[in-house]
Amino acid sequence: MAIACSGACIPLFFMKDRVKTCTPDFVPKYTTSLMLPWSPAIAFQGFSNFTTSSEDSVYSDAYTPIIAPPNALEPLSQFFTSVRVNTVADRQALLDDIKTNAKNISLGGMFINTAGNDSLITYEISEFLSGPTLLNLASNVWLASASGSTPGGQTPVIAANYRPFAARSGAGLDPMKWIGFFAGAMGVFPAFFTLYVTKERRSSVQAMQLSNGIANPASLWLGHLLFDGMFGIVISIIISVVFSVVSKQFSYLGLYGFTMVLYGYTGILFAYCVSLVSSSALAAFSIVAGYQVIMFMLYLSAYMLTLTYALPSKTDSYMSIIHYTMSLLAPINPLVRSTLISVGLFSLDCEGTHTETSPGSMAYMGSPILYLILYGFLLFAILVAVDGGFAWPAFLTFHRKPKQEKSRDVPEDVARETETVEKSDDPLRVLHVSKRFGPNQAVDDVSFGVARGTICALLGPNGAGKTTTFNVIRGDVSPSSGDVLLNGMSITRKSAAARVYLGVCPQFTAIDSQLTVREHLKVYGMLKGLQSGGELETNIKTLLEATTLTPYADRLASKLSGGNQRKLALAIALIGNPEVVLIDEFSTGIAPDT
């Protein structure tokens, strides 16, 4: 909260003197003469001045015009007292000179034959003023030749000038400094919400919760979101209040505050999704923060490049395209768009020279709000699908093709057991389950059933695939082939419904370090449908006594010894009296007398 609020509010001083306006702010441009000797094509490119004294001039042959024939400029003799030129005899001599010295010529030359009504101008194209300057010179020669001197002895000339189109001033972009701090802080703050859920997931606490009572993973993620989302709401309220009190730069604060609330929830969901694929809490934090900041920088850079290089008539449409495409990449981008509109950067809140009167339309605040809503639903659906046993279609999966093995004889008792299991109604049925990790076959065509009231033990040496089979049954690992049925419910296709019948004590204890022993049992009992009050308290009391944990009932689970933590894991698996209980190496760390 401190990072988000500080990054948004403290840098507001960058905008303290800014005046919001829909009138474009242009950089003034000045007129430049195209007439010799004042044209920059000559005066600023090697010529110090045109003077009557050649020894006082500093000339460069590269910027000296080539004139053919030598008397071509005589009609302007009354206007130019002295012009330094290189002369050649005729048109062909001019072309030959240009061809021979092309690399050393930076201006160009011209041929004029007023008697024959013929002229030619040649110039160095990279010097953009050279052509217009020589064209103006030729035009004045033709004009003076055609009109002659005026009664007062003056030679008429065309005073051509050049002035570039006005460019946008950068003064109106001062808020970009604030935008950098704001978007950076807002991009980073959702990353903090990856820390707990990633730790919870990597310590198998989430898997424990899903295996012991959470029928629908939507409730798990919704619980996280409701708690974490409160921080996003508080941040949005604080920032909106500060903006409205301290600064006059923000418009549509109601819509903008709502956008920030939506971003808070969507950013948190984005952080949750990253935690699904992260190896550690630190990695998840770095991915979310780094990705959001990079996407914001690319988004804003695209706007700046459009403003700099696009045709003014195309700027608005290009910026809309950038928004509608790049907003799909990260939740931060719709928030940045709404921020730009609220602050009035790039004239995004303007309709002509006036402020937009319908800020909720899709062209303004409406599209960021819609994007964030749709983004949030999509991210939440991904979370539920991943933890709910979603399986990609076969054509979208890319697995290394297993090696073809020679057909082998199946022992008669194995074949008979497999056939019996396929036809039985046992609460637990494992049907042709295989699991391959890359080239390694961990489980190979395992089938068995466990009837009601039956204890089944999986025995075998280390690496035989016992724990992998166990994790396939609980739905924590998807099999390469085959299926597991719990009371007829497929753990691969309907994992949420199948897990209702499960109680799991995993090989490695997964407990929440923030909860006591009693709180653990209370939470898991409610997840399994026990009614709060007498029923729940009776189950908790019975299990505490059965596992000899009564003296430690109100102690934090993280403070228990290893053996007592294993007892707590067993109590969690048994609470609610599930129909199928899976216990993996429970006795590890348990004292023999208990």
Side-chain angles (χ1 to χ4, degrees), residues 45-69:
Q45 299 179 23
F47 287 82
S48 62
N49 197 1
F50 283 88
T51 66
T52 58
S53 176
S54 60
E55 62 269 18
D56 294 333
S57 302
V58 180
Y59 294 123
S60 170
D61 287 339
Y63 293 100
T64 301
I66 305 171
I67 305 298

Side-chain angles (χ1 to χ4, degrees), residues 360-584:
S361 62
M362 288 297 294
Y364 298 95
M365 290 290 195
S367 56
I369 290 174
L370 180 61
Y371 266 75
L372 289 171
I373 292 174
L374 296 178
Y375 217 130
F377 279 114
L378 175 62
L379 294 172
F380 190 76
I382 291 173
L383 292 170
V384 174
V386 170
D387 282 338
F390 173 79
W392 291 101
F395 68 90
L396 291 178
T397 57
F398 301 93
H399 295 295
R400 181 181 298 179
K401 188 176 181 180
K403 296 179 180 179
Q404 296 294 329
E405 298 182 358
K406 296 180 181 180
S407 58
R408 60 189 176 188
D409 295 332
V410 178
E412 183 179 348
D413 57 340
V414 174
R416 186 168 54 252
E417 173 67 12
T418 300
E419 183 178 357
T420 301
V421 170
E422 289 174 346
K423 297 178 181 179
S424 73
D425 60 351
D426 294 338
L428 172 61
R429 289 190 290 161
V430 179
L431 302 174
H432 303 286
V433 167
S434 296
K435 180 60 182 178
R436 178 182 291 272
F437 296 97
N440 300 318
Q441 187 78 46
V443 179
D444 186 12
D445 195 21
V446 172
S447 298
F448 63 87
V450 181
R452 289 175 176 81
T454 301
I455 297 176
C456 175
L458 296 180
L459 302 178
N462 292 338
K466 303 184 300 298
T467 297
T468 301
T469 303
F470 181 93
N471 289 333
V472 169
I473 296 173
R474 67 185 287 199
D476 198 33
V477 173
S478 298
S480 301
S481 62
D483 202 355
V484 176
L485 302 181
L486 296 168
N487 270 354
M489 293 290 181
S490 169
I491 197 68
T492 59
R493 296 189 299 272
K494 298 180 179 179
S495 59
R499 283 168 171 166
V500 171
Y501 305 103
L502 265 182
V504 178
C505 175
Q507 180 179 5
F508 302 102
T509 303
I511 57 175
D512 194 316
S513 60
Q514 306 300 317
L515 299 180
T516 65
V517 172
R518 189 184 302 277
E519 287 170 343
H520 269 90
L521 295 177
K522 186 174 182 180
V523 168
Y524 282 96
M526 295 178 69
L527 289 177
K528 291 186 178 181
L530 298 179
Q531 298 296 322
S532 59
E535 182 183 20
L536 179 59
E537 293 301 325
T538 300
N539 274 261
I540 292 174
K541 181 180 179 181
T542 300
L543 287 171
L544 288 174
E545 293 175 352
T547 55
T548 67
L549 288 175
T550 302
Y552 314 104
D554 297 312
R555 181 179 296 183
L556 286 175
S558 58
K559 303 299 182 181
L560 296 176
S561 64
N564 284 332
Q565 287 183 356
R566 295 298 295 160
K567 295 177 185 179
L568 175 59
L570 177 62
I572 291 172
L574 295 174
I575 195 167
N577 195 25
E579 191 156 2
V580 177
V581 178
L582 303 178
I583 303 174
D584 191 3

